[in-house]
Amino acid sequence: MARRTLLARALDNGSYVLTERREPAADGDEPVATALSRRAVFEFAEFGVHDAVVVREETETTYVVLPFSIPTADSLSPTGGACIALRPEAGLSEDYLRGWAHAMKGALGDAIEAGLLDERAATVYFEGRIQRFADATEVIVP
């Protein structure tokens, strides 16, 4: 499976240049946009398409891109999500966040299929749980 990552590099004037990297890639990064604000960088994240956003400033921060959609037999394509900054020193690694999201979505999908929740309520609940990570790291919902 190819991994798609957005790479944002800070410029001296405070704006960002955004490229897209596909791994494995034979031809390097693809330019996406220039002269972006930091907030605008995350608006280019396509949930269900991109796996990560990497922001290079004085340091480099990687954000996991997690769609809010809950998988069910009748589920819709991803319509939104969050970008969560990795903080392995606090236990927030990519493996942990993806595993947590997979388990949470599985349980919510089962609840939808059993008629305990509708898809909208499950998505709102999942988004609320994602927002709780803001106590330990940066959570951006474009």
Side-chain angles (χ1 to χ4, degrees), residues 13 15 39 46 56 70 73 77 80 86 91 105 117 133:
N13 66 6
S15 68
R39 178 71 182 171
E46 292 181 52
R56 292 182 179 150
I70 309 296
S77 60
L86 297 181
K105 287 180 174 192
L117 291 171
F133 284 111

Side-chain angles (χ1 to χ4, degrees), residues 17-81:
V17 172
L18 188 64
T19 58
E20 181 178 66
R21 175 172 293 161
R22 295 179 191 195
E23 295 174 11
D27 54 359
D29 301 341
E30 299 176 25
V32 176
T34 60
L36 296 173
S37 68
R38 189 175 194 285
R39 178 71 182 171
V41 164
F42 295 96
E43 292 173 10
F44 281 84
E46 292 181 52
F47 300 99
V49 173
H50 292 110
D51 298 302
V53 176
V54 175
V55 178
R56 292 182 179 150
E57 299 163 316
E58 292 92 31
T59 60
E60 182 174 287
T61 305
T62 300
Y63 297 79
V64 173
V65 177
L66 291 176
F68 289 150
S69 59
I70 309 296
T72 64
D74 300 324
S75 66
L76 305 172
S77 60
T79 57

Side-chain angles (χ1 to χ4, degrees), residues 1-13:
M1 179 170 99
R3 181 174 172 88
R4 291 179 68 172
T5 303
L6 290 174
L7 302 168
R9 185 174 46 88
L11 301 175
D12 291 337
N13 66 6

